[in-house]
Amino acid sequence: MTIKTRFAPSPTGYLHVGGARTALFSWLYARKHGGQFVLRIEDTDLERSTAESVNAILEGMTWLGLEYDEGPFYQTKRFDRYNEVIDQLLESGHAYRCDCPRERLDQLREEAMARKEKPRYDGCCREKTVNPDEPHVVRFRNPLDGAVVMDDMVLGKMVFENRELDDLIIRRSDGSPTYNLSVVVDDMDMEISHVIRGNDHVMNTPRQMNILHALGKAPPKYAHVPMILGDDGARLSKRHGAVSVMQYREQGFLPEALLNYLVRLGWSHGDQEIFSLDELTQLFDIDQVNKAASAFNTDKLLWLNQHYIKSADPARVAHLLGYHLGKRDIDPANGPELMDVVMAQRERAQTLEEMAEISEFIYRDFDDFDEKAAKKHLRPVAREPLERMLVALEALEEWTREKLHATVEQVATELGLNMGKVAQPLRVAVVGRAASPGIDDTLFLVGKEATLRRIDEALGYIFDREANTGEG
RNA sequence: GCUCCCUUCGUCUAGCGGUUAGGACGCCGGCCUCUCACGUCGGUAACAGGGGUUCAAUUCCCCUAGGGAGCGCCA
């Protein structure tokens, strides 16, 4: 059997992490088995589907690198086919027209709830003959007894009693097909062998299997993957911040980090945490996926992201960093080689956004010293080391890390101080705060001109402080 | 309310009848060190509860509790 999976989002919002993981699982499953992966846009809800959402989903898939072999298919372009199937069902008696007014349906629901029963359609029109020219919907004639058995690849064997199911609408009064009908037709026509989807679809499965059965087709294999919960264990929602995959890019995450994080939510391979896509296509399997929902933990994602920032090709990281610097109105061309910045900062940043932030000092003078840092390091005792550094650096002809390191070391030795006593005031003077890459890297990246200017500024600051407090 | 599903450290998880219940993130501490990090070493912390089955249950069964999903002319 040739393996074919699909990812079928509805374009009513952005691609979120839950959808992305489902897509990843489907993609991996297809890749692992040398099969095909299909992208299908489920836009039968004309009211809520938008072109922006379609673009956002396509963009998200591209960013993640989940390329599809077929599609994107749009259900709105297949209405004729769905109607053909509905008519076929009508003809064979597996479906019937229903003209129950909405008010009656609402009332039915309320009454059932009041009786503490599950709200279901009562089958009122099952045996009625409804005029096709009058307003009506088409319902699927679900079997009244018996049971549907689904052998789910993650949930295991599940049995649904037909009497728990009601006659679902498969064609709306406006003539458009509904979800449960169109998925069945599409999965059938596109020869999807494995339906991998979110847990929220479990209850649809027996209905879809019944429709398939009425059509005389064998059902595909199903795998219902658990939901992803928010940091707080509650259902993931907009309240949790970045739920859209593209927001993670904006925040400076690498796609491989997000993918690696997502695949470990519900799936594992022994104690291994880091997986390349190649490894995953070898190791992943859907029946090892957990049944229980899992909570999204941003701290772990950050850890993975830093791991990938550290191990990714610096040239690529540099390119990406350029984008994030640009968001801060910084033109990387007006500074050192971006690669040098990356090499100096990649062990200090968990995201590219953070890397851009902590690298600002390289490109422009800061407005104020960090209060705590200045208080601690820009004290009168630091005046002499800084004055000496100023002179020594001014005289330095080769602005290299080696020379810079030697200079700092020499000044420290001359004054009988340890490195820290010189490097820290110098760091605060040049960076504005107490944390930065090694002092030689820091000075190298800032450049001679800005370094001298900022040391001078810092000396002025110390001078003012001495004058004001009488410290000394 | 009804139907179905789930339940190991705070979080992600390993475990598939006999383990000092393992790893990872986080957190705490040591080392490294010019700062911050990185790295490294160590520590903290879990089988939801109750019944069975068994020589033996985290592992199998049942019940309870808690959590989730579904119950649309949404997907």
Side-chain angles (χ1 to χ4, degrees):
Chain A
M1 177 168 71
T2 53
I3 304 291
K4 205 170 178 185
T5 64
R6 45 61 156 197
F7 176 53
S10 64
T12 53
Y14 300 110
L15 177 62
H16 54 89
V17 292
R21 191 189 54 165
T22 304
L24 173 62
F25 283 1
S26 303
W27 184 89
L28 284 174
Y29 193 77
R31 285 286 172 279
K32 181 194 173 76
H33 296 283
Q36 310 273 292
F37 176 61
V38 177
L39 178 64
R40 185 173 73 222
I41 305 295
E42 310 231 318
D43 52 357
T44 50
D45 184 350
L46 284 356
E47 302 275 302
R48 285 187 276 188
S49 299
T50 66
E52 295 79 63
S53 296
V54 172
N55 288 336
I57 290 166
L58 260 29
E59 203 182 7
M61 295 292 284
T62 303
W63 181 62
L64 290 173
L66 301 178
E67 70 280 5
Y68 28 93
D69 305 297
E70 291 177 27
F73 295 115
Y74 295 86
Q75 293 192 319
T76 40
K77 294 190 177 150
R78 291 174 44 80
F79 275 22
D80 288 349
R81 170 59 181 150
Y82 305 138
N83 277 318
E84 183 183 32
V85 173
I86 292 169
D87 290 341
Q88 186 185 326
L89 249 16
L90 232 24
E91 212 159 299
S92 63
H94 285 109
Y96 60 91
R97 297 185 175 85
C98 164
D99 62 357
C100 291
R102 290 179 200 241
E103 298 74 52
R104 180 173 182 277
L105 266 22
D106 293 341
Q107 194 188 331
L108 226 49
R109 234 190 310 279
E110 276 175 41
E111 284 171 5
M113 289 290 237
R115 279 199 312 273
K116 298 179 186 249
E117 280 172 20
K118 188 202 288 209
R120 293 159 58 220
Y121 177 62
D122 64 353
C124 173
C125 297
R126 255 185 169 236
E127 310 306 331
K128 234 161 76 176
T129 306
V130 174
N131 184 348
D133 299 326
E134 294 293 314
H136 68 276
V137 299
V138 175
R139 288 183 184 271
F140 176 68
R141 193 187 301 273
N142 199 78
L144 295 171
D145 42 35
V148 182
V149 179
M150 162 172 72
D151 194 16
D152 192 277
M153 288 196 287
V154 345
L155 263 16
K157 188 175 168 184
M158 299 222 279
V159 180
F160 300 91
E161 297 297 328
N162 272 322
R163 67 182 127 80
E164 295 293 339
L165 275 25
D166 64 353
D167 293 346
L168 72 159
I169 292 172
I170 54 178
R171 179 154 68 198
R172 301 185 184 91
S173 46
D174 68 358
S176 63
T178 60
Y179 164 76
N180 276 297
L181 186 279
S182 45
V183 215
V184 168
V185 175
D186 283 345
D187 286 342
M188 177 176 80
D189 287 357
M190 296 170 191
E191 299 179 296
I192 301 301
S193 65
H194 296 256
V195 171
I196 299 170
R197 69 210 328 185
N199 215 321
D200 48 338
H201 286 285
V202 173
M203 293 302 176
N204 291 321
T205 310
R207 303 164 183 283
Q208 293 172 9
M209 288 174 77
N210 278 334
I211 296 178
L212 233 23
H213 184 74
L215 258 16
K217 294 283 184 176
K221 290 285 278 176
Y222 293 98
H224 289 94
V225 307
M227 312 256 79
I228 296 178
L229 276 21
D231 269 334
D232 53 3
R235 191 175 180 177
L236 209 54
S237 71
K238 306 97 238 155
R239 293 186 61 249
H240 293 89
V243 285
S244 153
V245 158
M246 294 315 279
Q247 278 181 47
Y248 286 97
R249 183 185 69 169
E250 225 30 59
Q251 290 174 8
F253 285 88
L254 260 24
E256 60 266 43
L258 187 57
L259 253 14
N260 194 150
Y261 178 72
L262 253 19
V263 82
R264 282 285 288 102
L265 238 39
W267 177 83
S268 62
H269 179 70
D271 286 340
Q272 191 171 345
E273 295 286 350
I274 307 292
F275 297 91
S276 69
L277 239 31
D278 279 345
E279 274 180 298
L280 286 175
T281 54
Q282 292 296 316
L283 301 171
F284 181 80
D285 218 333
I286 202 77
D287 48 27
Q288 300 161 354
V289 172
N290 283 159
K291 298 177 180 181
S294 40
F296 194 93
N297 185 220
T298 306
D299 281 337
K300 189 158 182 180
L301 206 212
L302 282 166
W303 171 74
L304 271 168
N305 199 50
Q306 180 166 32
H307 168 83
Y308 282 105
I309 285 177
K310 281 188 296 183
S311 49
D313 172 19
R316 172 171 163 243
V317 178
H319 176 73
L320 296 171
L321 176 63
Y323 167 74
H324 291 273
L325 286 171
K327 286 204 292 183
R328 292 167 182 271
D329 285 323
I330 291 170
D331 181 356
N334 302 323
E337 284 293 324
L338 257 186
M339 270 250 254
D340 288 335
V341 178
V342 169
M343 294 311 285
Q345 296 284 38
R346 64 179 185 174
E347 289 179 346
R348 276 164 259 269
Q350 293 189 299
T351 66
L352 296 168
E353 223 9 52
E354 188 186 355
M355 190 183 283
E357 187 201 325
I358 63 175
S359 299
E360 274 202 37
F361 75 91
I362 296 168
Y363 299 92
R364 59 180 164 225
D365 293 352
F366 45 89
D367 293 330
D368 298 294
F369 290 110
D370 174 81
E371 208 178 307
K372 272 181 70 182
K375 193 172 178 192
K376 185 170 178 190
H377 298 292
L378 296 184
R379 295 190 295 164
V381 289
R383 205 185 65 199
E384 196 180 3
L386 285 180
E387 283 170 346
R388 294 248 191 166
M389 281 306 304
L390 186 62
V391 173
L393 291 175
E394 209 160 12
L396 200 62
E397 280 173 19
E398 283 177 84
W399 199 258
T400 64
R401 295 179 184 80
E402 295 72 25
K403 296 280 185 195
L404 288 164
H405 187 85
T407 307
V408 177
E409 212 162 40
Q410 193 189 331
V411 169
T413 310
E414 281 171 17
L415 293 173
L417 299 169
N418 56 35
M419 274 284 275
K421 287 282 190 288
V422 178
Q424 268 314 84
L426 187 55
R427 170 171 286 113
V428 177
V430 172
V431 179
R433 52 187 174 192
S436 84
I439 195 66
D440 37 359
D441 273 326
T442 298
L443 298 181
F444 173 75
L445 292 170
V446 169
K448 186 169 185 176
E449 190 197 355
T451 296
L452 299 180
R453 181 172 66 242
R454 293 180 195 175
I455 293 175
D456 201 47
E457 280 283 323
L459 283 168
Y461 175 90
I462 294 175
F463 181 79
D464 287 349
R465 184 164 160 178
E466 275 181 298
N468 290 336
T469 64
E471 247 188 288

